[in-house]
Amino acid sequence: MRTRITAFTLGLTAATALSGVLLAAPADAADPLRIGFITTLSTPAGYIGEDERDGFKLAITQEDGKLGGVPVELVVEDDALKPANAKQIAERMTGDGIRLFTGVNFSNVLSAVAPTVLKTGAFYVSLNPGPSVFAGGGCNPNYFVASYQNDNFHEAGGLAANELGYKKVVILAPNYQAGRDALEGFKRTYKGQVVSEIYTKLDQTDFSVELARIRSAAPDAIYQFHPGGAGINFAKQYANSGLAKEIPMVLPVFSMDARMMAATGDAAEGYYIASNWSAGLDNAANKDFVADFEKTYGRKPTIYAAQAYDTAKLIASGLDKVDGDIEKQDAFRAALKAADFTSVRGSFAFGQNQHPILDWYLMRVERGADGQLGDTVVRKVATAMQDAYAAECKM
């Protein structure tokens, strides 16, 4: 019988994110399984990492410091949204014997971390990014994505734009892997005309030039992907320019999550969102998660928290089947691939490339009974969508 341990990192702020342990395990206790959690806790995108960390921690808290009955220690470090930093952290953690990783929230950072982890034979389970480079021919037996494949969100966005009847659109995204995946995904399913395709800088704060280009193009709608602080700035400037009253916006939830809605005030009202999750999804696991998250942290969860919670539950299902011994690699892979857990997003299964097959929804930002803005499900736009790269994976 395992001794109960509640050893995991708590209370990290965006400014002081360092690896650590809340409580030392008793001398006679079994050593907890360490999970390397590299994420962005500083920079304007720091709230994303905070929600991911807290969503993951919630699953551990619910098991009194365990996942799947196995005592765990969450080792958290801030990558400051710098791939080089993240790579160095991953090298240090693997050198220290950590064999299971998660936490990264940007594709460019994951592209530095995942190869570093995987070349040592360790496991990486993504709780947010799912870049195309690892979804097809670059797939790996020890690499799992519990969140989505990058393109899927934007393929759902294209389907949503079709259903809304928009015949010509302007599309925008930052010029990095996830941004390029985003616009390719949108174009894959959108049936109308893309009148302009605009790439911005990843850290851009002023979008006046892009807004002028949108006005000149006079599209039926725009589709834009800008996560975190960039998305907040874009939404505010779009509203202040008057364009929001003239040209509707369709966007993935990463460009307008619950925290961003609070930060933008009324700017997001009426926007259309493509997503695989909403706080209002009607299933028991989701209702319990939302209630527990709000009770524990005093705020509404974002999709980042929901995906991190699911990732923890997925890992728990794998640890349970191998009694925490992840060096039984074939057995642990099979246990993860089985995805024997109840997702807050409803239906969940893995494709052959170990990326999830999920349902997708069109949502609209509206005011609830409490007067606060939130996303309301309009309709499902895709059932059990698999990504476009799965057939290229030879596992």
Side-chain angles (χ1 to χ4, degrees):
M1 181 176 179
R2 293 182 181 275
T3 303
R4 176 173 295 178
I5 298 175
T6 57
F8 56 94
T9 303
L10 286 172
L12 295 175
T13 67
T16 61
L18 298 171
S19 61
V21 180
L22 175 63
L23 298 174
D28 60 347
D31 289 336
L33 175 73
R34 291 180 297 163
I35 301 174
F37 198 97
I38 304 168
T39 196
T40 304
L41 290 164
S42 56
T43 82
Y47 82 87
I48 298 175
E50 180 184 68
D51 262 30
E52 290 167 340
R53 180 199 64 199
D54 290 352
F56 200 98
K57 280 183 357 187
L58 180 61
I60 298 174
T61 301
Q62 290 173 340
E63 282 198 55
D64 294 327
K66 300 178 182 179
L67 286 177
V70 176
V72 296
E73 173 189 327
L74 198 61
V75 183
V76 181
E77 290 212 34
D78 177 20
D79 58 40
L81 193 46
K82 295 179 179 178
N85 285 6
K87 186 176 189 297
Q88 290 176 357
I89 295 167
E91 288 172 344
R92 185 170 68 252
M93 286 184 174
T94 55
D96 195 36
I98 294 178
R99 305 284 290 164
L100 177 59
F101 290 80
T102 188
V104 172
N105 56 1
F106 281 87
S107 291
N108 58 329
V109 178
L110 184 63
S111 293
V113 169
T116 302
V117 167
L118 297 172
K119 73 180 181 182
T120 70
F123 286 87
Y124 192 90
V125 185
S126 180
L127 52 65
N128 190 45
S132 58
V133 291
F134 303 133
C139 62
N140 185 289
N142 284 12
Y143 174 79
F144 289 79
V145 176
S147 48
Y148 55 88
Q149 195 281 312
N150 282 356
D151 300 33
N152 281 164
F153 259 96
H154 314 291
E155 289 166 349
L159 294 173
N162 293 337
E163 295 215 7
L164 291 165
Y166 300 139
K167 302 300 183 184
K168 58 178 186 176
V169 301
V170 170
I171 58 178
L172 308 93
N175 191 14
Y176 77 119
Q177 185 65 55
R180 294 187 292 272
D181 286 350
L183 299 194
E184 287 304 312
F186 181 87
K187 291 186 292 184
R188 190 174 293 125
T189 58
Y190 178 58
K191 296 179 180 179
Q193 178 188 5
V194 175
V195 295
S196 184
E197 183 171 338
I198 301 172
Y199 285 98
T200 59
K201 295 180 180 179
L202 183 57
D203 58 353
Q204 190 163 326
T205 58
D206 180 4
F207 296 94
S208 55
V209 172
E210 288 77 14
L211 297 182
R213 291 179 63 182
I214 292 168
R215 192 182 299 278
S216 177
D220 295 337
I222 70 165
Y223 181 81
Q224 65 93 2
F225 164 63
H226 290 90
I232 293 170
N233 289 334
F234 187 94
K236 286 182 175 180
Q237 292 169 35
Y238 196 72
N240 291 338
S241 72
L243 283 170
K245 296 179 180 178
E246 305 169 15
I247 303 172
M249 187 187 297
V250 183
L251 63 170
V253 70
F254 300 127
S255 298
M256 193 51 63
D257 60 45
R259 299 277 284 269
M260 295 170 77
M261 287 181 202
T264 55
D266 296 336
E269 189 167 7
Y271 289 171
Y272 288 100
I273 291 176
S275 185
N276 58 45
W277 177 84
S278 166
L281 278 185
D282 189 14
N283 67 69
N286 190 49
K287 290 178 179 178
D288 289 346
F289 159 70
V290 172
D292 286 354
F293 190 94
E294 290 182 347
K295 180 180 179 181
T296 302
Y297 301 113
R299 66 179 190 272
K300 294 180 179 179
T302 62
I303 189 170
Y304 302 107
Q307 290 175 162
Y309 182 80
D310 264 3
T311 301
K313 291 294 188 180
L314 169 67
I315 289 173
S317 72
L319 294 178
D320 176 61
K321 291 181 180 179
V322 298
D323 196 28
D325 186 0
I326 62 175
E327 293 308 313
K328 297 176 180 177
Q329 290 211 350
D330 289 342
F332 188 53
R333 287 189 204 101
L336 290 176
K337 187 71 176 286
D340 188 15
F341 75 104
T342 302
S343 171
V344 299
R345 290 170 285 178
S347 175
F348 185 104
F350 276 122
Q352 69 189 63
N353 60 349
Q354 298 174 171
H355 286 62
I357 298 172
L358 300 166
D359 296 340
W360 294 84
Y361 302 89
L362 167 63
M363 305 176 186
R364 191 171 189 272
V365 179
E366 299 175 344
R367 294 195 182 278
D370 59 359
Q372 301 298 309
L373 290 177
D375 48 47
T376 300
V377 176
V378 176
R379 66 177 70 91
K380 186 186 290 186
V381 295
T383 300
M385 180 190 286
Q386 186 166 33
D387 66 87
Y389 305 97
E392 300 171 17
C393 176
K394 304 305 180 184
M395 286 193 298

